[in-house]
């Protein structure tokens, strides 16, 4: 059974930082790509960052330079460091496992967790 569990969300003021974590079962973690997407009220799913199993990260333009994705293979964990948060970053954030790079091929999404809420106030 594939399980992804996100944590680390919360409420911060604009300019603040949060670090999201995702614990996963081994069979999810060994998917070629892991990543993060978000979805807010009345918003479409937005892919934020993905990382290949060799550690190469990719970012959406909206978060490039502010967010950093990383993975700890030994611990089967995925992280997203978010700095300089803005009110428009408010959304539910999801950890995901993909068969291909979901930033380019969103339909390659295989599994995702239940999400963690991030709220940024101005």
């Amino acid at each position: 059974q594939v399980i992804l569990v996100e944590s680390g969300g919360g409420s911060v003021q604009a300019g603040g930082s949060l670090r999201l974590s995702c614990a996963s079962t081994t069979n999810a973690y060994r998917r070629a790509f892991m990543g993060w997407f978000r979805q807010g009220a009345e918003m479409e799913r937005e892919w934020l960052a993905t990382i290949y199993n060799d550690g190469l990260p990719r970012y959406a333009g909206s978060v490039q330079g502010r967010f950093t994705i990383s993975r700890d293979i030994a611990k089967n964990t995925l992280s997203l460091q978010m700095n300089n948060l803005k009110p428009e970053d408010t959304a539910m954030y999801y950890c995901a496992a993909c068969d291909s790079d979901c930033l380019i091929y969103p339909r390659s999404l295989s599994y995702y967790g239940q999400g963690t809420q991030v709220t940024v106030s101005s």
Side-chain angles (χ1 to χ4, degrees), residues 32-112:
F33 290 89
M34 298 287 292
W36 294 89
F37 67 87
R38 66 188 177 191
Q39 189 159 11
E42 301 179 2
M43 287 174 53
E44 294 186 355
R45 179 179 298 170
E46 179 186 12
W47 282 95
L48 305 174
T50 57
I51 187 165
Y52 190 50
N53 58 13
D54 66 355
L56 182 66
R58 296 177 184 268
Y59 299 96
S62 59
V63 303
Q64 179 80 46
R66 299 190 298 127
F67 291 9
T68 302
I69 189 172
S70 60
R71 66 193 297 180
D72 186 329
I73 295 176
K75 296 182 179 179
N76 284 357
T77 58
L78 182 73
S79 298
L80 185 69
Q81 176 67 41
M82 307 187 295
N83 298 327
N84 190 22
L85 284 162
K86 305 174 181 180
E88 52 264 41
D89 293 319
T90 295
M92 186 73 81
Y93 283 68
Y94 298 87
C95 168
C98 305
D99 291 321
S100 295
D101 190 340
C102 278
L103 268 175
I104 303 172
Y105 307 108
R107 292 186 178 183
S108 64
L109 172 64
S110 297
Y111 305 100
Y112 58 96

